[in-house]
Amino acid sequence: MKKLDLLITGVGGQGVVLASDIIGEAALAEGYDVKKTDTLGMAQRGGSVVSNLRIAEKVWSPLITEGEADILFAFEKLEAARWGYYLKPGGIAIINNHAQPPLAVSLGKTAYPTDTEVTAILKQRTDRVYFIDGTKLAQELGNVRTVNILMLGCLSHFLPLKLETWREVIARYLPEKLHTINMTAFDRGRKEVRDGHL
Amino acid sequence: MTTNPKNQRLLSGNEAFALGAYHAGVKVAAAYPGTPSTEIMETLAQFKDLHAEWATNEKVAMEVALGACYTGVRAMASMKHVGLNVASDPFLAAATTGVNGGLVIISADDPGIHSSQNEQDNRHYAKLAKIPVLEPGDSQEAYDLMGIAFDLSEKFDTPVMVRTTTRISHSKSAVKTSGKRPAEAKHPAFYYNVPKYVMLPVNARSQRPKIEKRLVELAEYAETSPLNQVSEGGKELGIITSGISYQYAREVFPKASILKLGMTYPLPRKLIKDFAGKVKRLIVIEELDPFLEENIKAMGITVSGKEIIPRIGELSARIVADAARNAGLLAGEPVKIAEVPGLPRRPPLLCPGCPHAAMFFTLSTIGQRAKLLEAKDNTPKEPEIIITGDIGCYTLAAYPPLNAMDTTACMGASIGQAVGMAKAGIGKKVVAVIGDSTFLHSGITGLVNAVYNQAKITIVILDNGTTAMTGHQEHPGTGFSAQGEAAPAVKLEDLVRGIGVKNVKIVDAFNMKLLRSAVKESLAADELSVIITRGTCAVRQPKKVNPRAIDAEICNACGACLRLGCPAIQKSGDKVSIDAVLCIGDACTVCQQICPKQAIAPLKKEMK
Ligand SMILES: Cc1ncc(C[n+]2csc(CCOP(=O)(O)OP(=O)(O)O)c2C)c(N)n1
């Protein structure tokens, strides 16, 4: 792999930063240079969160350039649409099929984009747009909070990192009592992509 | 913080600063929270073989560190950029007395204003104080630089400033932490030395030539310092840069010659002259002010900078590349990729169950303010009260639907501003609103002033028992230290009464009736009044049980509950509902209390 720029997005509280940390550590463990930078602070209060993660032999800037991200990895649909312009032409968008309407939408002042609109926005950059029912699948597994690890399982298909490395780093980041459910979630995510339910 | 085959760890700049300081043997560290500096202290506080403290404010933190370094041990203070404004008095004093043990001050600037009230380039402070400033370009440098900073401080008898930015502090990159904490930290000892430590005019005057001499010696050191590095490249273009801008320069100009300055004041004149002489064209790439550029121009060297590179906000490789294309330094047209217009924004909000919301709702309705921006009938009434605001999560109450804040300047300003407005004769009631951490930081002196000058204002102290905005740090009112030990808690009501306020009310932050009567009574009183609202921060609320639900049969969608701005209350079409996952339930119940139809009640078990 020459370079891989991943833009990870979602809403404060969805575990975007944790997911980004895990991918970064996994890449570092396999000998790559890694730089990453997250929105912190105010955005924790339910705001839009974005993490820039860059993997290469040698990384200089921690920020991804607009229009050059290889992968957009989104935990929420509106955020996928918002950050879609970072994708390079022909890049990959992996999106949790989940909507979290912002307050302005609840107050009836503006509308949440329809699925067709979200897809159209992303299709301006690439045809490789994959929606995953991550939140629903995690609910079926009995713990909706595992959605970020389940989504990592989906993502793992597109990254040249070993399965053992993923498992080892995920275990390092989560408390022991959550290991089993999260490994199941990770496998479920991998299966979803492998079986082509895309 | 884990290791990999190359023995590297992925660390944020702030973690790296803390670890570097720890391995350099720092004995006393003081800080006041502030983005993007907070995690330096949070990381240091995890070590038990040093003293790490949250100070009441940055001025105090600076003074604590200064006193500690006078005893010969290594000490540091860390703060966000505006924190150094607060601490500038002892900062300049430290520059005048010099040190004994090493003293390092970390200033975390926020280009782009991610989480601040302004943008400022604190390298100017180093020049003002005539002390050295160091700037790392990634986490490895942040780690390595701390040891050098302490050594320099002791060698040149000067405080050393380390200037970081959001993008350095909050980025993670690979770090090899080769150092180890010295087995024996220095024993503290203080030696009587009035000419050095007592800045009477006569002594301060005798320090002045020493300071100038120190600056000359530091500039000399800069000529050969390992902090300043040349990477030889092509002769066409030479770039002088520092900090995060170095990364952008390398990415955009892989073939150019680069002089990377790790020490950006004082500057190495000869090194820069030599570098300039080797290239055809010389540019400076730096974030914010033309600090390097102006100092290099003052050496009589031809260089361009801010006529090419923006001076407002953060840089990025894209911004640098576009600027270079516009200036003809790179071929091609600037990249035109734009954000998708028209998507709903997602600004930060007060949390579901935030103890600040009910007080702001009360002020908003009593003061006719709910109508300010949102009036459906298009006849907004004049607001009946003016609300001077302060800095914290509660500043978010300035947004609709609460519209309950008229000013926000800097920490602690609300009380002084309210006094000023009242004394100007505004003729309306003025309410100052301030958080508990902010009140302790810099509201107390404002309150003393208000009492002394007999201002008839109302001051609301929002006591949520934590410094929420910056990520829930302890403060002198919480009963815990930075290192997690039990500590005496300052009681706000005792403090306020002790200052001489007679009219003091303490109100449950979730009780609408009591809040309403407290505000009405205080506004009616012909004297200074203080209302302390008390309620646990929703993020720290341990008991989130019995979420509320709206009975669709009874609800007529009047929208009263929506005026709270609670993210758990949603409206789709004509139906208003409460998200049971987000609602904190029994601990709040504010929406239930304000519902005119009594349509809100605990979610029934069978509905779950
Ligand atoms: C001089 C200065 N130091 C630090 C900060 C960062 N900061 C902003 S608000 C705040 C404290 C907020 O705590 P509090 O007043 O208790 O309000 P809360 O967020 O808990 O509602 C801090 C530390 C700042 N803006 N200015």
Side-chain angles (χ1 to χ4, degrees):
Chain A
M1 157 166 75
K2 222 173 125 242
K3 74 108 190 172
L4 198 89
D5 288 348
L6 262 147
L7 199 78
I8 309 160
T9 78
V11 180
Q14 280 195 308
V16 168
V17 173
L18 176 71
S20 154
D21 277 342
I22 289 173
I23 308 165
E25 285 285 359
L28 190 73
E30 296 208 1
Y32 293 103
D33 191 19
V34 175
K35 278 190 184 161
K36 54 160 292 189
T37 180
D38 316 314
T39 18
L40 294 173
M42 292 280 274
Q44 287 177 323
R45 312 271 169 274
S48 158
V49 176
V50 60
S51 174
N52 289 244
L53 176 64
R54 309 192 70 194
I55 304 168
E57 287 300 310
K58 169 73 196 161
V59 183
W60 298 108
S61 161
L63 285 169
I64 298 170
T65 291
E66 296 90 322
E68 291 183 12
D70 300 276
I71 297 179
L72 174 71
F73 185 40
F75 288 23
E76 202 270 352
K77 284 188 281 189
L78 170 58
E79 296 311 312
R82 192 188 312 286
W83 297 99
Y85 73 106
Y86 265 78
L87 266 178
K88 73 177 184 191
I92 300 169
I94 305 167
I95 302 155
N96 182 18
N97 194 2
H98 169 72
Q100 211 162 301
L103 187 67
V105 172
S106 309
L107 292 176
K109 269 186 286 172
T110 158
Y112 194 92
T114 62
D115 284 1
T116 323
E117 283 165 344
V118 173
T119 310
I121 288 169
L122 292 162
K123 291 262 164 152
Q124 287 174 12
R125 311 287 312 159
T126 181
D127 282 334
R128 300 166 77 188
V129 181
Y130 307 121
F131 285 94
I132 312 260
D133 284 325
T135 301
K136 197 172 130 247
L137 292 171
Q139 250 152 7
E140 283 167 17
L141 291 177
N143 187 343
V144 80
R145 305 198 132 259
T146 61
V147 60
N148 53 358
I149 304 297
L150 188 140
M151 293 296 295
L152 278 180
C154 302
L155 175 78
S156 68
H157 252 277
F158 299 90
L159 301 189
L161 302 174
K162 292 194 213 80
L163 205 54
E164 306 91 83
T165 312
W166 282 109
R167 291 192 196 288
E168 192 258 320
V169 176
I170 290 170
R172 240 196 271 156
Y173 268 85
L174 295 173
E176 184 130 20
K177 61 173 193 244
L178 294 178
H179 282 183
T180 315
I181 178 109
N182 277 288
M183 292 306 167
T184 311
F186 184 82
D187 290 341
R188 185 69 190 79
R190 267 186 89 82
K191 182 168 177 294
E192 192 65 11
V193 174
R194 191 181 52 228
D195 297 354
H197 298 303
L198 286 173
Chain B
M1 292 205 276
T2 40
T3 53
N4 74 324
K6 283 191 207 157
N7 230 350
Q8 290 173 324
R9 312 152 83 170
L10 209 51
L11 294 185
S12 72
N14 281 348
E15 289 169 328
F17 282 127
L19 221 58
Y22 181 69
H23 287 162
V26 70
K27 178 88 181 287
V28 173
Y32 182 75
T35 315
S37 72
T38 311
E39 300 81 10
I40 301 171
M41 172 55 66
E42 288 183 326
T43 308
L44 271 172
Q46 291 167 18
F47 298 112
K48 297 302 164 203
D49 50 346
L50 53 80
H51 172 77
E53 71 171 44
W54 289 125
T56 4
N57 64 30
E58 294 86 351
K59 178 179 188 291
V60 176
M62 185 80 70
E63 289 154 352
V64 167
L66 183 60
C69 94
Y70 283 171
T71 72
V73 305
R74 289 186 160 184
M76 66 183 272
S78 50
M79 57 202 66
K80 72 182 281 152
H81 60 320
V82 286
L84 193 52
N85 301 339
V86 176
S88 57
D89 211 2
F91 178 68
L92 273 284
T96 309
T97 68
V99 304
N100 182 7
L103 174 62
V104 176
I105 293 124
I106 305 185
S107 164
D109 293 6
D110 188 19
I113 321 187
H114 293 277
S115 202
S116 301
Q117 66 266 37
N118 75 344
E119 185 171 82
Q120 64 183 53
D121 188 334
N122 275 9
R123 294 177 298 179
H124 296 294
Y125 266 116
K127 192 174 182 187
L128 178 72
K130 300 170 189 285
I131 66 166
V133 57
L134 315 185
E135 293 188 69
D138 60 22
S139 299
Q140 181 70 59
E141 289 179 17
Y143 173 79
D144 294 337
L145 189 137
M146 288 307 287
I148 300 174
F150 279 109
D151 289 348
L152 278 181
S153 172
E154 285 163 4
K155 180 160 178 232
F156 292 94
D157 190 7
T158 177
V160 171
M161 176 168 154
V162 171
R163 187 245 191 178
T164 174
T165 56
T166 305
R167 207 48 74 189
I168 294 290
S169 282
H170 283 175
S171 290
K172 287 190 173 180
S173 57
V175 181
K176 206 164 176 178
T177 55
S178 44
K180 232 173 98 185
R181 189 164 170 85
E184 186 104 355
K186 256 203 218 156
H187 277 294
F190 181 72
Y191 301 101
Y192 183 78
N193 188 349
V194 169
K196 180 169 171 62
Y197 295 129
V198 183
M199 285 304 102
L200 283 162
V202 57
N203 295 337
R205 272 197 296 272
S206 72
Q207 288 297 99
R208 281 290 291 116
K210 289 186 201 162
I211 295 168
E212 295 301 328
K213 184 162 166 275
R214 180 174 79 193
L215 211 48
V216 172
E217 288 166 3
L218 280 160
E220 192 85 359
Y221 161 82
E223 298 287 354
T224 54
S225 165
L227 294 165
N228 300 327
Q229 295 275 354
V230 175
S231 24
E232 300 249 1
K235 307 257 175 268
E236 285 300 310
L237 181 68
I239 299 169
I240 301 180
T241 184
S242 70
I244 192 70
S245 306
Y246 167 74
Q247 309 295 349
Y248 307 143
R250 280 305 294 252
E251 188 154 318
V252 175
F253 298 103
K255 297 207 179 84
S257 293
I258 295 186
L259 169 56
K260 174 180 183 295
L261 296 169
M263 178 162 162
T264 46
Y265 193 79
L267 291 178
R269 173 188 293 265
K270 192 173 167 303
L271 185 67
I272 292 172
K273 276 221 153 105
D274 288 352
F275 181 76
K278 283 189 200 144
V279 293
K280 272 204 196 130
R281 175 145 194 213
L282 187 65
I283 62 168
V284 172
I285 300 180
E286 61 188 320
E287 244 169 20
L288 301 186
D289 291 344
F291 181 81
L292 299 174
E293 181 187 342
E294 283 173 359
N295 283 297
I296 292 167
K297 280 183 173 157
M299 296 171 181
I301 295 169
T302 307
V303 63
S304 25
K306 289 297 163 186
E307 70 260 39
I308 304 172
I309 307 289
R311 68 171 73 209
I312 299 174
E314 269 197 299
L315 299 179
S316 68
R318 206 262 306 152
I319 291 171
V320 170
D322 280 355
R325 288 187 191 106
N326 282 329
L329 291 169
L330 276 184
E333 288 290 304
V335 184
K336 287 204 182 62
I337 298 178
E339 289 178 35
V340 181
L343 290 174
R345 292 182 55 244
R346 201 188 289 277
L349 301 166
L350 292 179
C351 302
C354 173
H356 302 331
M359 177 46 116
F360 283 113
F361 180 83
T362 306
L363 290 170
S364 188
T365 45
I366 288 181
Q368 303 280 14
R369 308 182 54 93
K371 295 195 159 195
L372 280 184
L373 296 173
E374 303 280 270
K376 282 215 182 84
D377 57 4
N378 244 345
T379 52
K381 292 188 184 157
E382 268 285 281
E384 285 173 358
I385 53 174
I386 296 173
I387 305 172
T388 59
D390 228 296
I391 307 194
C393 288
Y394 49 93
T395 312
L396 296 171
Y399 290 126
L402 291 167
N403 305 325
M405 198 167 286
D406 295 312
T407 67
T408 294
C410 61
M411 282 186 77
S414 59
I415 301 177
Q417 287 180 332
V419 173
M421 287 192 181
K423 295 293 178 188
I426 188 73
K428 282 181 185 166
K429 285 289 174 179
V430 189
V431 179
V433 184
I434 186 167
D436 50 345
S437 185
T438 304
F439 177 69
L440 292 164
H441 174 281
S442 49
I444 300 170
T445 45
L447 181 60
V448 174
N449 173 72
V451 170
Y452 170 54
N453 289 298
Q454 302 172 62
K456 291 172 186 171
I457 58 170
T458 296
I459 297 162
V460 176
I461 306 176
L462 302 161
D463 183 5
N464 60 353
T466 185
T467 319
M469 166 107 208
T470 42
H472 304 95
Q473 292 75 31
E474 306 297 343
H475 64 62
T478 66
F480 288 95
S481 75
Q483 290 177 302
E485 260 124 54
V490 173
K491 268 184 103 176
L492 296 181
E493 51 271 41
D494 293 355
L495 183 62
V496 168
R497 289 197 180 103
I499 288 171
V501 183
K502 301 268 174 342
N503 188 340
V504 182
K505 295 186 180 69
I506 300 141
V507 189
D508 175 350
F510 297 102
N511 189 319
M512 288 304 300
K513 258 204 189 108
L514 295 180
L515 286 169
R516 221 175 162 75
S517 59
V519 170
K520 284 200 155 157
E521 279 170 39
S522 295
L523 288 176
D526 193 33
E527 61 178 343
L528 176 74
S529 55
V530 170
I531 304 171
I532 300 172
T533 65
R534 195 154 275 155
T536 306
C537 172
V539 177
R540 290 198 147 186
Q541 176 56 249
K543 270 202 276 170
K544 297 182 182 172
V545 290
N546 296 324
R548 290 322 193 238
I550 298 175
D551 189 331
E553 304 276 287
I554 309 173
C555 174
N556 65 348
C558 71
C561 57
L562 289 168
R563 294 230 171 251
L564 275 170
C566 174
I569 308 178
Q570 287 155 7
K571 185 178 181 186
S572 64
D574 267 347
K575 192 168 171 281
V576 184
S577 63
I578 297 176
D579 185 329
V581 178
L582 295 177
C583 176
I584 72 162
D586 289 356
C588 174
T589 75
V590 171
C591 59
Q592 182 176 353
Q593 295 172 55
I594 62 176
C595 176
K597 292 272 168 191
Q598 275 108 46
I600 301 179
L603 181 66
K604 292 202 189 68
K605 288 278 179 319
E606 61 269 25
M607 285 165 67
K608 273 188 198 167

